[in-house]
Amino acid sequence: MERKREGAMGEQAETAAKAEKAEKAENAETAEKTPAEGFFDAAVALLEQVRDGEAAAIEAAGKLLAETVSEGGRIFAFGAGHSSLPAQDTVYRAGGLAVMNLLNVPGAVGVDVRPATMGSALERVSGLAAAALDSSPARAGDALIVISLSGRNTLPVELALHARELGLKVIGVTSVAYAQQTSSRHTTGTFLKDHCDIVIDSRIAVGDAELTAEGVGAPFAPASTVVASAVMQGIVATATVELARRGVEPPMLRSANVDGGHDWNAHVMDAYADRIFYR
């Protein structure tokens, strides 16, 4: 009996020692991780969360775009400031659909305005989104993708709201966490997610910064652009395959840097000239 007790105690001690060793190894690995490795790990984890958690919404968004193209509609994408980058990444893009168009809101698309803070200020101006949409080629039966990390500012909310009033289908790419932890800046008190036919949650935490470090006064390393860009490419990829499934040849663009690419693109853009607004 005494030997059994001693044996059990020995096994417990050995198990505890292994656990302690594994914990030390894990802590050492974490401590040795470079900032770049930390960011990549955080971004990959977010991409996996969105891939698994938003799969149904991404598929629905892709099928909506395919349906829009099949029925003769046009596709527009919009994002303000850095949120414009994932939208721009799908327009006139090798390997992408030729019918993806950027909806332009002067001063709000990109970060090329001076001062840059003007772009942020314009996101809070009432009436700007409606005026831009009314002046655009968008019409009933078209589809609009609105990308906004927070989804709280006047511009994206008003844009989605007015687009639906005009008969467009709206897909929102946003972080739902902001709607839970911040207040809306739109007069209705609503967020982008409240005015969309399909919502894709980017799963980005409020503040959009994945890392902290000693001596650095604020969190850093934003991952929202990585995630939103992946979401957009996932939507377009889904739409492409869905078009083919419906018997519609997807209007794909090829790289102009491969032989025959320029001529191919010219042919596709001529065929869809009534649905392309960046030429």
Side-chain angles (χ1 to χ4, degrees), residues 107-140:
V109 178
V111 290
D112 57 347
V113 295
R114 295 290 184 275
T117 51
M118 183 185 298
S120 298
L122 289 174
E123 287 190 65
R124 305 181 190 186
V125 175
S126 179
L128 178 60
L133 193 57
D134 289 341
S135 301
S136 77
R139 65 189 183 193

PDB file of all heavy atoms in Angstrom, residues 107-140:
ATOM      1  N   GLY A 107     -13.574  63.595 -51.078  1.00  0.00           N
ATOM      2  CA  GLY A 107     -12.934  63.934 -49.814  1.00  0.00           C
ATOM      3  C   GLY A 107     -12.966  62.841 -48.769  1.00  0.00           C
ATOM      4  O   GLY A 107     -12.278  62.926 -47.755  1.00  0.00           O
ATOM      5  N   ALA A 108     -13.770  61.804 -49.018  1.00  0.00           N
ATOM      6  CA  ALA A 108     -13.930  60.763 -48.001  1.00  0.00           C
ATOM      7  C   ALA A 108     -13.280  59.447 -48.383  1.00  0.00           C
ATOM      8  O   ALA A 108     -13.071  58.581 -47.531  1.00  0.00           O
ATOM      9  CB  ALA A 108     -15.411  60.527 -47.725  1.00  0.00           C
ATOM     10  N   VAL A 109     -12.969  59.276 -49.665  1.00  0.00           N
ATOM     11  CA  VAL A 109     -12.390  58.017 -50.128  1.00  0.00           C
ATOM     12  C   VAL A 109     -10.870  58.111 -50.091  1.00  0.00           C
ATOM     13  O   VAL A 109     -10.274  58.932 -50.781  1.00  0.00           O
ATOM     14  CB  VAL A 109     -12.869  57.689 -51.555  1.00  0.00           C
ATOM     15  CG1 VAL A 109     -12.215  56.402 -52.045  1.00  0.00           C
ATOM     16  CG2 VAL A 109     -14.386  57.546 -51.584  1.00  0.00           C
ATOM     17  N   GLY A 110     -10.246  57.275 -49.292  1.00  0.00           N
ATOM     18  CA  GLY A 110      -8.794  57.290 -49.183  1.00  0.00           C
ATOM     19  C   GLY A 110      -8.303  58.303 -48.158  1.00  0.00           C
ATOM     20  O   GLY A 110      -9.087  58.909 -47.420  1.00  0.00           O
ATOM     21  N   VAL A 111      -6.997  58.479 -48.110  1.00  0.00           N
ATOM     22  CA  VAL A 111      -6.385  59.396 -47.136  1.00  0.00           C
ATOM     23  C   VAL A 111      -5.524  60.433 -47.852  1.00  0.00           C
ATOM     24  O   VAL A 111      -4.509  60.890 -47.337  1.00  0.00           O
ATOM     25  CB  VAL A 111      -5.526  58.616 -46.113  1.00  0.00           C
ATOM     26  CG1 VAL A 111      -6.397  57.799 -45.192  1.00  0.00           C
ATOM     27  CG2 VAL A 111      -4.513  57.715 -46.822  1.00  0.00           C
ATOM     28  N   ASP A 112      -5.958  60.821 -49.060  1.00  0.00           N
ATOM     29  CA  ASP A 112      -5.170  61.762 -49.851  1.00  0.00           C
ATOM     30  C   ASP A 112      -5.659  63.200 -49.741  1.00  0.00           C
ATOM     31  O   ASP A 112      -5.193  64.077 -50.450  1.00  0.00           O
ATOM     32  CB  ASP A 112      -5.158  61.341 -51.323  1.00  0.00           C
ATOM     33  CG  ASP A 112      -6.560  61.227 -51.909  1.00  0.00           C
ATOM     34  OD1 ASP A 112      -7.527  61.227 -51.115  1.00  0.00           O
ATOM     35  OD2 ASP A 112      -6.679  61.126 -53.138  1.00  0.00           O
ATOM     36  N   VAL A 113      -6.625  63.466 -48.843  1.00  0.00           N
ATOM     37  CA  VAL A 113      -7.085  64.841 -48.647  1.00  0.00           C
ATOM     38  C   VAL A 113      -6.148  65.539 -47.660  1.00  0.00           C
ATOM     39  O   VAL A 113      -5.504  64.894 -46.834  1.00  0.00           O
ATOM     40  CB  VAL A 113      -8.541  64.880 -48.123  1.00  0.00           C
ATOM     41  CG1 VAL A 113      -9.495  64.332 -49.163  1.00  0.00           C
ATOM     42  CG2 VAL A 113      -8.675  64.123 -46.811  1.00  0.00           C
ATOM     43  N   ARG A 114      -6.084  66.844 -47.734  1.00  0.00           N
ATOM     44  CA  ARG A 114      -5.256  67.629 -46.820  1.00  0.00           C
ATOM     45  C   ARG A 114      -6.097  68.728 -46.187  1.00  0.00           C
ATOM     46  O   ARG A 114      -6.772  69.453 -46.905  1.00  0.00           O
ATOM     47  CB  ARG A 114      -4.074  68.272 -47.577  1.00  0.00           C
ATOM     48  CG  ARG A 114      -3.093  67.254 -48.132  1.00  0.00           C
ATOM     49  CD  ARG A 114      -2.301  66.561 -47.018  1.00  0.00           C
ATOM     50  NE  ARG A 114      -1.302  65.666 -47.572  1.00  0.00           N
ATOM     51  CZ  ARG A 114      -1.528  64.403 -47.941  1.00  0.00           C
ATOM     52  NH1 ARG A 114      -2.754  63.904 -47.816  1.00  0.00           N
ATOM     53  NH2 ARG A 114      -0.565  63.662 -48.422  1.00  0.00           N
ATOM     54  N   PRO A 115      -6.107  68.834 -44.864  1.00  0.00           N
ATOM     55  CA  PRO A 115      -5.452  67.903 -43.945  1.00  0.00           C
ATOM     56  C   PRO A 115      -6.191  66.557 -43.897  1.00  0.00           C
ATOM     57  O   PRO A 115      -7.382  66.491 -44.216  1.00  0.00           O
ATOM     58  CB  PRO A 115      -5.539  68.621 -42.602  1.00  0.00           C
ATOM     59  CG  PRO A 115      -6.786  69.440 -42.707  1.00  0.00           C
ATOM     60  CD  PRO A 115      -6.847  69.898 -44.140  1.00  0.00           C
ATOM     61  N   ALA A 116      -5.504  65.517 -43.496  1.00  0.00           N
ATOM     62  CA  ALA A 116      -6.095  64.180 -43.463  1.00  0.00           C
ATOM     63  C   ALA A 116      -7.287  64.119 -42.523  1.00  0.00           C
ATOM     64  O   ALA A 116      -8.217  63.329 -42.731  1.00  0.00           O
ATOM     65  CB  ALA A 116      -5.035  63.160 -43.050  1.00  0.00           C
ATOM     66  N   THR A 117      -7.277  64.967 -41.509  1.00  0.00           N
ATOM     67  CA  THR A 117      -8.384  64.979 -40.543  1.00  0.00           C
ATOM     68  C   THR A 117      -9.703  65.425 -41.179  1.00  0.00           C
ATOM     69  O   THR A 117     -10.768  65.191 -40.617  1.00  0.00           O
ATOM     70  CB  THR A 117      -8.048  65.911 -39.372  1.00  0.00           C
ATOM     71  OG1 THR A 117      -7.634  67.186 -39.884  1.00  0.00           O
ATOM     72  CG2 THR A 117      -6.924  65.331 -38.522  1.00  0.00           C
ATOM     73  N   MET A 118      -9.626  66.073 -42.353  1.00  0.00           N
ATOM     74  CA  MET A 118     -10.851  66.490 -43.023  1.00  0.00           C
ATOM     75  C   MET A 118     -11.707  65.276 -43.398  1.00  0.00           C
ATOM     76  O   MET A 118     -12.936  65.323 -43.352  1.00  0.00           O
ATOM     77  CB  MET A 118     -10.536  67.299 -44.280  1.00  0.00           C
ATOM     78  CG  MET A 118     -11.780  67.827 -45.006  1.00  0.00           C
ATOM     79  SD  MET A 118     -11.399  68.650 -46.570  1.00  0.00           S
ATOM     80  CE  MET A 118     -10.386  70.010 -45.984  1.00  0.00           C
ATOM     81  N   GLY A 119     -11.032  64.193 -43.763  1.00  0.00           N
ATOM     82  CA  GLY A 119     -11.760  62.987 -44.115  1.00  0.00           C
ATOM     83  C   GLY A 119     -12.600  62.491 -42.948  1.00  0.00           C
ATOM     84  O   GLY A 119     -13.762  62.102 -43.124  1.00  0.00           O
ATOM     85  N   SER A 120     -12.028  62.518 -41.765  1.00  0.00           N
ATOM     86  CA  SER A 120     -12.769  62.097 -40.569  1.00  0.00           C
ATOM     87  C   SER A 120     -13.944  63.027 -40.300  1.00  0.00           C
ATOM     88  O   SER A 120     -15.027  62.599 -39.904  1.00  0.00           O
ATOM     89  CB  SER A 120     -11.836  62.072 -39.355  1.00  0.00           C
ATOM     90  OG  SER A 120     -10.799  61.134 -39.546  1.00  0.00           O
ATOM     91  N   ALA A 121     -13.709  64.319 -40.515  1.00  0.00           N
ATOM     92  CA  ALA A 121     -14.773  65.301 -40.291  1.00  0.00           C
ATOM     93  C   ALA A 121     -15.923  65.091 -41.272  1.00  0.00           C
ATOM     94  O   ALA A 121     -17.112  65.198 -40.901  1.00  0.00           O
ATOM     95  CB  ALA A 121     -14.219  66.709 -40.423  1.00  0.00           C
ATOM     96  N   LEU A 122     -15.596  64.773 -42.526  1.00  0.00           N
ATOM     97  CA  LEU A 122     -16.632  64.578 -43.538  1.00  0.00           C
ATOM     98  C   LEU A 122     -17.505  63.362 -43.240  1.00  0.00           C
ATOM     99  O   LEU A 122     -18.668  63.315 -43.643  1.00  0.00           O
ATOM    100  CB  LEU A 122     -15.993  64.433 -44.917  1.00  0.00           C
ATOM    101  CG  LEU A 122     -15.383  65.705 -45.512  1.00  0.00           C
ATOM    102  CD1 LEU A 122     -14.653  65.392 -46.806  1.00  0.00           C
ATOM    103  CD2 LEU A 122     -16.465  66.767 -45.743  1.00  0.00           C
ATOM    104  N   GLU A 123     -16.948  62.387 -42.533  1.00  0.00           N
ATOM    105  CA  GLU A 123     -17.738  61.203 -42.177  1.00  0.00           C
ATOM    106  C   GLU A 123     -18.898  61.549 -41.252  1.00  0.00           C
ATOM    107  O   GLU A 123     -19.829  60.758 -41.106  1.00  0.00           O
ATOM    108  CB  GLU A 123     -16.847  60.159 -41.509  1.00  0.00           C
ATOM    109  CG  GLU A 123     -15.904  59.447 -42.438  1.00  0.00           C
ATOM    110  CD  GLU A 123     -15.220  58.275 -41.764  1.00  0.00           C
ATOM    111  OE1 GLU A 123     -15.931  57.316 -41.410  1.00  0.00           O
ATOM    112  OE2 GLU A 123     -13.990  58.329 -41.563  1.00  0.00           O
ATOM    113  N   ARG A 124     -18.841  62.723 -40.638  1.00  0.00           N
ATOM    114  CA  ARG A 124     -19.885  63.103 -39.683  1.00  0.00           C
ATOM    115  C   ARG A 124     -20.848  64.141 -40.257  1.00  0.00           C
ATOM    116  O   ARG A 124     -21.726  64.644 -39.548  1.00  0.00           O
ATOM    117  CB  ARG A 124     -19.231  63.648 -38.412  1.00  0.00           C
ATOM    118  CG  ARG A 124     -18.231  62.688 -37.796  1.00  0.00           C
ATOM    119  CD  ARG A 124     -17.602  63.234 -36.527  1.00  0.00           C
ATOM    120  NE  ARG A 124     -16.482  62.412 -36.081  1.00  0.00           N
ATOM    121  CZ  ARG A 124     -15.818  62.579 -34.956  1.00  0.00           C
ATOM    122  NH1 ARG A 124     -16.163  63.575 -34.137  1.00  0.00           N
ATOM    123  NH2 ARG A 124     -14.814  61.793 -34.621  1.00  0.00           N
ATOM    124  N   VAL A 125     -20.691  64.468 -41.531  1.00  0.00           N
ATOM    125  CA  VAL A 125     -21.536  65.484 -42.169  1.00  0.00           C
ATOM    126  C   VAL A 125     -22.816  64.859 -42.696  1.00  0.00           C
ATOM    127  O   VAL A 125     -22.794  63.955 -43.522  1.00  0.00           O
ATOM    128  CB  VAL A 125     -20.778  66.176 -43.319  1.00  0.00           C
ATOM    129  CG1 VAL A 125     -21.691  67.144 -44.058  1.00  0.00           C
ATOM    130  CG2 VAL A 125     -19.554  66.907 -42.774  1.00  0.00           C
ATOM    131  N   SER A 126     -23.927  65.355 -42.247  1.00  0.00           N
ATOM    132  CA  SER A 126     -25.232  64.857 -42.700  1.00  0.00           C
ATOM    133  C   SER A 126     -25.544  65.378 -44.102  1.00  0.00           C
ATOM    134  O   SER A 126     -25.261  66.530 -44.419  1.00  0.00           O
ATOM    135  CB  SER A 126     -26.322  65.304 -41.726  1.00  0.00           C
ATOM    136  OG  SER A 126     -27.586  64.862 -42.155  1.00  0.00           O
ATOM    137  N   GLY A 127     -26.075  64.525 -44.940  1.00  0.00           N
ATOM    138  CA  GLY A 127     -26.485  64.914 -46.285  1.00  0.00           C
ATOM    139  C   GLY A 127     -25.459  64.600 -47.356  1.00  0.00           C
ATOM    140  O   GLY A 127     -25.806  64.524 -48.538  1.00  0.00           O
ATOM    141  N   LEU A 128     -24.198  64.408 -46.967  1.00  0.00           N
ATOM    142  CA  LEU A 128     -23.141  64.153 -47.938  1.00  0.00           C
ATOM    143  C   LEU A 128     -23.353  62.814 -48.645  1.00  0.00           C
ATOM    144  O   LEU A 128     -23.229  62.710 -49.868  1.00  0.00           O
ATOM    145  CB  LEU A 128     -21.776  64.180 -47.250  1.00  0.00           C
ATOM    146  CG  LEU A 128     -20.557  63.885 -48.127  1.00  0.00           C
ATOM    147  CD1 LEU A 128     -20.451  64.902 -49.258  1.00  0.00           C
ATOM    148  CD2 LEU A 128     -19.278  63.883 -47.284  1.00  0.00           C
ATOM    149  N   ALA A 129     -23.665  61.774 -47.898  1.00  0.00           N
ATOM    150  CA  ALA A 129     -23.835  60.443 -48.482  1.00  0.00           C
ATOM    151  C   ALA A 129     -24.996  60.422 -49.467  1.00  0.00           C
ATOM    152  O   ALA A 129     -24.886  59.873 -50.570  1.00  0.00           O
ATOM    153  CB  ALA A 129     -24.052  59.411 -47.387  1.00  0.00           C
ATOM    154  N   ALA A 130     -26.115  61.019 -49.084  1.00  0.00           N
ATOM    155  CA  ALA A 130     -27.289  61.033 -49.958  1.00  0.00           C
ATOM    156  C   ALA A 130     -26.998  61.791 -51.241  1.00  0.00           C
ATOM    157  O   ALA A 130     -27.384  61.357 -52.338  1.00  0.00           O
ATOM    158  CB  ALA A 130     -28.471  61.651 -49.225  1.00  0.00           C
ATOM    159  N   ALA A 131     -26.289  62.919 -51.127  1.00  0.00           N
ATOM    160  CA  ALA A 131     -25.957  63.711 -52.309  1.00  0.00           C
ATOM    161  C   ALA A 131     -25.037  62.932 -53.239  1.00  0.00           C
ATOM    162  O   ALA A 131     -25.214  62.933 -54.470  1.00  0.00           O
ATOM    163  CB  ALA A 131     -25.304  65.026 -51.890  1.00  0.00           C
ATOM    164  N   ALA A 132     -24.053  62.246 -52.669  1.00  0.00           N
ATOM    165  CA  ALA A 132     -23.116  61.466 -53.478  1.00  0.00           C
ATOM    166  C   ALA A 132     -23.831  60.315 -54.177  1.00  0.00           C
ATOM    167  O   ALA A 132     -23.585  60.039 -55.361  1.00  0.00           O
ATOM    168  CB  ALA A 132     -21.990  60.936 -52.600  1.00  0.00           C
ATOM    169  N   LEU A 133     -24.715  59.643 -53.469  1.00  0.00           N
ATOM    170  CA  LEU A 133     -25.428  58.509 -54.049  1.00  0.00           C
ATOM    171  C   LEU A 133     -26.391  58.964 -55.140  1.00  0.00           C
ATOM    172  O   LEU A 133     -26.496  58.339 -56.203  1.00  0.00           O
ATOM    173  CB  LEU A 133     -26.183  57.760 -52.950  1.00  0.00           C
ATOM    174  CG  LEU A 133     -26.726  56.371 -53.303  1.00  0.00           C
ATOM    175  CD1 LEU A 133     -25.606  55.464 -53.780  1.00  0.00           C
ATOM    176  CD2 LEU A 133     -27.422  55.761 -52.097  1.00  0.00           C
ATOM    177  N   ASP A 134     -27.074  60.069 -54.892  1.00  0.00           N
ATOM    178  CA  ASP A 134     -28.008  60.593 -55.891  1.00  0.00           C
ATOM    179  C   ASP A 134     -27.291  61.054 -57.155  1.00  0.00           C
ATOM    180  O   ASP A 134     -27.874  61.061 -58.243  1.00  0.00           O
ATOM    181  CB  ASP A 134     -28.805  61.767 -55.300  1.00  0.00           C
ATOM    182  CG  ASP A 134     -29.819  61.316 -54.254  1.00  0.00           C
ATOM    183  OD1 ASP A 134     -30.157  60.118 -54.242  1.00  0.00           O
ATOM    184  OD2 ASP A 134     -30.253  62.164 -53.447  1.00  0.00           O
ATOM    185  N   SER A 135     -26.026  61.450 -57.011  1.00  0.00           N
ATOM    186  CA  SER A 135     -25.249  61.922 -58.160  1.00  0.00           C
ATOM    187  C   SER A 135     -24.502  60.790 -58.867  1.00  0.00           C
ATOM    188  O   SER A 135     -23.870  61.011 -59.901  1.00  0.00           O
ATOM    189  CB  SER A 135     -24.225  62.977 -57.701  1.00  0.00           C
ATOM    190  OG  SER A 135     -24.870  64.076 -57.079  1.00  0.00           O
ATOM    191  N   SER A 136     -24.579  59.595 -58.334  1.00  0.00           N
ATOM    192  CA  SER A 136     -23.856  58.450 -58.888  1.00  0.00           C
ATOM    193  C   SER A 136     -24.733  57.705 -59.890  1.00  0.00           C
ATOM    194  O   SER A 136     -25.937  57.965 -60.006  1.00  0.00           O
ATOM    195  CB  SER A 136     -23.466  57.496 -57.754  1.00  0.00           C
ATOM    196  OG  SER A 136     -24.597  56.735 -57.339  1.00  0.00           O
ATOM    197  N   PRO A 137     -24.158  56.736 -60.610  1.00  0.00           N
ATOM    198  CA  PRO A 137     -24.948  55.945 -61.551  1.00  0.00           C
ATOM    199  C   PRO A 137     -25.806  54.879 -60.868  1.00  0.00           C
ATOM    200  O   PRO A 137     -26.590  54.194 -61.540  1.00  0.00           O
ATOM    201  CB  PRO A 137     -23.881  55.276 -62.438  1.00  0.00           C
ATOM    202  CG  PRO A 137     -22.588  55.894 -62.083  1.00  0.00           C
ATOM    203  CD  PRO A 137     -22.723  56.435 -60.710  1.00  0.00           C
ATOM    204  N   ALA A 138     -25.668  54.723 -59.565  1.00  0.00           N
ATOM    205  CA  ALA A 138     -26.391  53.669 -58.848  1.00  0.00           C
ATOM    206  C   ALA A 138     -27.895  53.829 -58.988  1.00  0.00           C
ATOM    207  O   ALA A 138     -28.426  54.944 -58.960  1.00  0.00           O
ATOM    208  CB  ALA A 138     -25.993  53.680 -57.373  1.00  0.00           C
ATOM    209  N   ARG A 139     -28.569  52.689 -59.102  1.00  0.00           N
ATOM    210  CA  ARG A 139     -30.025  52.711 -59.287  1.00  0.00           C
ATOM    211  C   ARG A 139     -30.628  51.466 -58.653  1.00  0.00           C
ATOM    212  O   ARG A 139     -29.919  50.558 -58.209  1.00  0.00           O
ATOM    213  CB  ARG A 139     -30.346  52.749 -60.778  1.00  0.00           C
ATOM    214  CG  ARG A 139     -29.914  51.500 -61.524  1.00  0.00           C
ATOM    215  CD  ARG A 139     -30.028  51.636 -63.016  1.00  0.00           C
ATOM    216  NE  ARG A 139     -29.671  50.397 -63.696  1.00  0.00           N
ATOM    217  CZ  ARG A 139     -29.449  50.281 -64.998  1.00  0.00           C
ATOM    218  NH1 ARG A 139     -29.521  51.358 -65.771  1.00  0.00           N
ATOM    219  NH2 ARG A 139     -29.152  49.109 -65.535  1.00  0.00           N
ATOM    220  N   ALA A 140     -31.941  51.417 -58.627  1.00  0.00           N
ATOM    221  CA  ALA A 140     -32.643  50.264 -58.074  1.00  0.00           C
ATOM    222  C   ALA A 140     -32.211  48.990 -58.789  1.00  0.00           C
ATOM    223  O   ALA A 140     -32.039  48.971 -60.001  1.00  0.00           O
ATOM    224  CB  ALA A 140     -34.147  50.462 -58.213  1.00  0.00           C
TER     225      ALA A 140
END
